Amino acid sequence: SQKIEQNSEALNIQEGKTATLTCNYTNYSPAYLQWYRQDPGRGPVFLLLIRENEKEKRKERLKVTFDTTLKQSLFHITASQPADSATYLCALPGGYNKLIFGAGTRLAVHP
Amino acid sequence: DTEVTQTPKHLVMGMTNKKSLKCEQHMGHRAMYWYKQKAKKPPELMFVYSYEKLSINESVPSRFSPECPNSSLLNLHLHALQPEDSALYLCASSQAGFPTSNQPQHFGDGTRLSIL
């Protein structure tokens, strides 16, 4: 069955460093992958969508890579700030009208 | 503020009560979704509406009954819920009606539901 894996342990980093989060998937051949941010008590917020032929996409301090051979996406936040602390979810298509979310990785950026 | 508005923000109900959750968006989106999210878990899809028609029901128990009165509104009617149904219920929308899995979804901040 289709499976999405994100590091369930929290990622703690120092302000100013680059945070790198991983999303691995199995039994999938997705044409695209999405990343969302979720703060406690709030709904997820869309960040980036990357297609299989894009390899890399950037938005301000965010960068996403998509390696269909490794079946992996990496999500980078450069020059991280305490305000970047949140849970980051990757999501893959589970059909024409469905998104399947990974369990998310909690990021804590310390001053 | 999110562009998808959910009411109420919190709801406490007994197992014999009937209540409804409401979701509204005015972005002209043609697909709308209900998700259930338990603590420290990802959102789990419940229902998808495309062009105001139910297109996906993820085998949700009949005590949850969705309704899409028009393209801007989505309701979730609740009846005879169980304590394990306590969760954050999220509504989302996306621009095109079909297919939707290649589009960003816009989420509301959810209704925190507690079943006594």
Side-chain angles (χ1 to χ4, degrees):
Chain A
S1 61
Q2 297 168 329
K3 193 173 179 183
I4 303 172
E5 290 183 347
Q6 294 186 256
N7 193 341
S8 59
E9 293 184 11
L11 178 63
N12 291 283
I13 65 167
Q14 209 67 28
E15 183 176 8
K17 301 292 186 185
T18 296
T20 299
L21 286 69
T22 304
C23 176
N24 295 303
Y25 57 92
T26 55
N27 299 322
Y28 264 113
S29 294
Y32 31 81
L33 183 149
Q34 301 186 35
W35 283 89
Y36 289 78
R37 167 185 172 140
Q38 187 171 23
D39 291 283
R42 306 295 300 272
V45 175
F46 170 76
L47 296 174
L48 283 165
L49 182 152
I50 186 166
R51 303 183 190 283
E52 62 179 341
N53 61 352
E54 291 185 303
K55 303 303 180 194
E56 178 181 304
K57 199 159 189 179
R58 294 174 184 263
K59 178 183 175 183
E60 298 173 353
R61 294 184 296 111
L62 308 181
K63 185 179 87 170
V64 171
T65 63
F66 192 11
D67 189 325
T68 55
T69 301
L70 291 179
K71 294 188 181 294
Q72 181 180 79
S73 176
L74 298 179
F75 177 83
H76 307 272
I77 305 176
T78 57
S80 60
Q81 304 165 1
D84 296 325
S85 300
T87 296
Y88 291 87
L89 304 159
C90 69
L92 283 83
Y96 274 134
N97 268 22
K98 286 175 61 169
L99 272 185
I100 309 296
F101 285 87
T105 298
R106 188 165 57 87
L107 172 67
V109 181
H110 302 282
Chain B
D1 290 340
T2 63
E3 295 170 310
V4 175
T5 304
Q6 291 189 243
T7 55
K9 292 190 185 305
H10 303 276
L11 179 62
V12 179
M13 56 188 286
M15 289 190 283
T16 58
N17 291 156
K18 284 185 182 181
K19 296 285 185 184
S20 296
L21 310 184
K22 181 179 173 182
C23 174
E24 198 165 359
Q25 59 87 14
H26 295 289
M27 296 179 282
H29 288 181
R30 302 313 304 272
M32 296 185 76
Y33 314 78
W34 282 115
Y35 288 85
K36 173 182 178 180
Q37 187 175 27
K38 300 281 255 184
K40 300 191 187 305
K41 297 288 187 183
E44 291 182 2
L45 184 67
M46 300 174 71
F47 302 104
V48 180
Y49 273 82
S50 297
Y51 299 106
E52 300 149 54
K53 293 192 183 334
L54 183 65
S55 66
I56 294 179
N57 176 343
E58 289 288 273
S59 302
V60 178
S62 59
R63 57 186 185 267
F64 295 91
S65 175
E67 179 196 20
C68 189
N70 60 56
S71 60
S72 300
L73 272 177
L74 189 65
N75 297 321
L76 187 63
H77 302 297
L78 314 173
H79 174 54
L81 295 194
Q82 304 298 307
E84 61 266 27
D85 297 322
S86 297
L88 180 68
Y89 288 83
L90 293 162
C91 174
S93 68
S94 59
Q95 188 168 22
F98 182 87
T100 64
S101 56
N102 62 345
Q103 299 171 56
Q105 293 189 12
H106 298 253
F107 284 82
D109 283 334
T111 294
R112 176 73 60 189
L113 177 65
S114 299
I115 308 300
L116 301 178

